[in-house]
């Protein structure tokens, strides 16, 4: 709960201080906050998905041990697919941090 309050106060401070921030600084700061949220949600979703996949696989192996190799192979493939989704979120985060398309548009809008 404390972390949520700290994040809330940080966002409120950025919102009230936006008059003094340049367009570039504001876009970069909000991009950093967005990256943190995106990576956190991606890691949370990936961890939940992997945990559910492993749980279901172990439950299936416990019920029918003769199909353990087929279930394990299927689980490893599904874990790789789940991890790929987390890596896609990481790629989006890198784009927002280092090749942000909103920076040029924001600077052009601020120049008008």
């Amino acid at each position: 709960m404390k972390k949520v309050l700290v994040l809330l106060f940080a966002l409120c401070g950025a919102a009230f201080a936006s008059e003094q921030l340049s367009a570039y600084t504001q876009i970069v700061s909000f991009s950093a906050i967005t990256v943190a949220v995106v990576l956190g949600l991606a890691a949370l979703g990936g961890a939940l998905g992997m945990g559910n996949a492993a749980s279901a696989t172990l439950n299936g192996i416990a019920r029918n041990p003769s199909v353990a190799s087929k279930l394990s192979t299927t689980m490893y493939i599904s874990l790789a697919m789940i991890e790929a989704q987390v890596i896609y979120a990481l790629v989006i985060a890198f784009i927002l941090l280092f090749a942000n398309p909103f920076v040029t548009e924001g600077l052009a809008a601020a120049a008008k």
Side-chain angles (χ1 to χ4, degrees):
M1 186 66 186
K2 291 180 184 178
K3 293 178 184 176
V4 173
L5 289 174
V6 168
L7 181 63
L8 179 67
F9 286 128
L11 290 175
C12 287
F16 289 123
S18 64
E19 296 174 8
Q20 299 162 352
L21 292 177
S22 68
Y24 175 77
T25 308
Q26 189 174 8
I27 290 172
V28 170
S29 63
F30 285 136
S31 295
I33 292 170
T34 303
V35 164
V37 171
V38 165
L39 287 179
L41 290 175
L44 176 69
L48 289 175
M50 287 181 183
N52 286 337
S55 172
T57 301
L58 291 175
N59 193 10
I61 290 173
R63 289 176 186 253
N64 191 0
S66 64
V67 294
S69 64
K70 288 183 181 180
L71 286 177
S72 295
T73 303
T74 304
M75 181 190 69
Y76 292 137
I77 292 172
S78 66
L79 291 179
M81 296 298 160
I82 293 169
E83 189 65 29
Q85 297 299 318
V86 177
I87 292 172
Y88 290 151
L90 181 66
V91 168
I92 291 170
F94 282 151
I95 289 171
L96 283 175
L97 283 178
F98 300 115
N100 195 339
F102 300 114
V103 172
T104 55
E105 294 175 11
L107 290 176
K112 289 182 180 179

